[in-house]
Amino acid sequence: MNFNYDVLVVGAGHAGCEAATAAANMGSKTLLITMDMNKIAQMSCNPAVGGIAKGQIVREIDALGGQMGIVSDMTAIQFRMLNRSKGPAVWSPRVQSDRAQFIIKWREIVENTDNLFIWQDTVTSLIIKDKTVAGVKTSLGVEFLAKSVVLTNGTFLNGLMHIGKTQIEGGRVSEPSSSGITEQLKELGFTTDRMKTGTPVRIDGRSVDFSLMEEQKGDDDFHKFSYLDFKPRPLEQLSCWICYTNEEVHKTLSDGLEDSPLYNGQIKSIGPRYCPSIETKIVTFADKTAHQLFLEPEGVNTQEYYLNGFSSSLPLHTQIEALQKVPAFRNIHIYRPGYAIEYDFFDPTQLYHTLETKIVSNLFFAGQINGTTGYEEAGGQGLIAGINAHLKAHGGNEFTIKRDEAYIGVLIDDLVTKGVDEPYRMFTSRAEYRILLRQDDADMRLTEKAYNTGLAKQERIDLLNEKKKEIDRIIGFTSNYSLKPEYINPVLESFGTSPLKQKAKLKDIITRPQIDIKNIAEHIPAFKEELEKTPNRKEEIIEAAEIRIKYDGYIKREQLIADKITRLENIRIKDKFDYNSILSLSTEARQKLEKINPETIAQASRIPGISPNDISVLLVLLGR
């Protein structure tokens, strides 16, 4: 067996799988090391992918040539486009996934990717020479050498699980934790800390009274994650279910708080503010008499359900007693209780935008090791780390994505510029260019960029070019086709919108909120005929064209703002200043600029504590 590789990836979670497949697909001889080959891309928490802002990240992963969108489409048991009542800037795709099929599909991809190999083992330390990583050592005593190493350790670094006063070492239920790497990196000067996350109880569906719950069905339309031209979803589509806690539930939970690791001092690390445990909810929102719970199916061939909204580390008996106070769960049987887990992470300001560490060359971090939470955030980081690990191994130029190009760009810039003080989760509100970062146009933004780097293949470029051509054709038709008042006014009045006083272009009529392409096309035969010419992915292309027409002014305005900021992104300042010697900067600015050593003026402006005056000082020193 050859123990030399171009890229080594440690951990086969969502970050590790994307990193490994990206590096291998770009041509690197890649080794993916995992503790358990049967848990590749395991969904440690809820059996779902996407959601608000997270769905946009999955679309971006797919547009770049990653795998998460493909796997999610192939294993979906429910699809919903969230936020449809709002503007398309915040439409967010989400699927319920068959947990077992998700693993099977990912393993199938990993095992059949050229240049990619798997080794089942635990990495105990890194091989580092002259501040450059050279490989890893494992618990079986094997040394693997590589030009680049990507760490995607998830919650396994010194993982400690909590169920009431019971503490169990592990990275996930029934799986051991990993030690050695944190301690080694601390000795090298890395800053590390602890974070906490949790997961809810898993319920046997046979013990649930579904008649006392509200059914939530999925969407039955063309939407999906991958931009590749797939057939309809292969698995049976299932419903989710909604119910609520009540005051009896809250009293039972309150009575058990003295045994809660979150409140008795047992857990000292930081938990996710935006995904709180049920015990945190009843304390923080003490005035609320009910909290919504979502019961989510785990797959088509299992009775296991995930209870979203009931994450907890309370003792087993407290969790069960509280659940039995919910009418639908009065005869509840569970597979396992919820638990909290503490784990090590590293301050992400110790990384470049490529996700390479500043302290050790050719070493990359991706996923929860950087203080993030979520499969999607992990997958996006893994993809960028894998691309750059390959490029670093072969002497290529670095690959980065800007904030106005992708949510992945926002995610990584936030991490390396601002750091984290709680598990980082993506929201649409974190992106200042939301209307440019829509889920419908991730391929427009990113596929050509990924193709030029070598990850996205010709098939994707061909599909993109066809889509661009068809969108332009539809928009061109609406821009040139005029309508007379006497012809179209009865139609407009039937839709509840004001009549025309003179001839108008079809494009201007489509911008009205009461009008969409489909309803107006039914009354304009020439337009309907033009739409029918769309050869493939007709609904996707028509929707994309309509968004471009309706939001054209907003898109152009936001692009102008982004272009202005880009000028600051082009002013590079890395290693140009001894910040501690610039006394005209505030003390806080000197300290933070010295620590982060930003790449550009724009990145410096986003560092918390850096004022406009500090930026002006730097621009003056640059002669601007």
Side-chain angles (χ1 to χ4, degrees), residues 502-521:
Q502 57 190 28
K503 281 176 65 174
K505 298 294 185 185
L506 175 56
K507 183 178 179 181
D508 295 327
I509 292 173
I510 293 173
T511 60
R512 298 184 179 194
Q514 300 90 345
I515 304 296
D516 60 52
I517 282 181
K518 286 185 176 180
N519 68 21
I520 200 69

Side-chain angles (χ1 to χ4, degrees), residues 23 66 174 181 343 347 453 504 519 613:
S174 301
I181 293 177
Y343 56 94
D347 179 358
T453 304
N519 68 21
N613 182 65

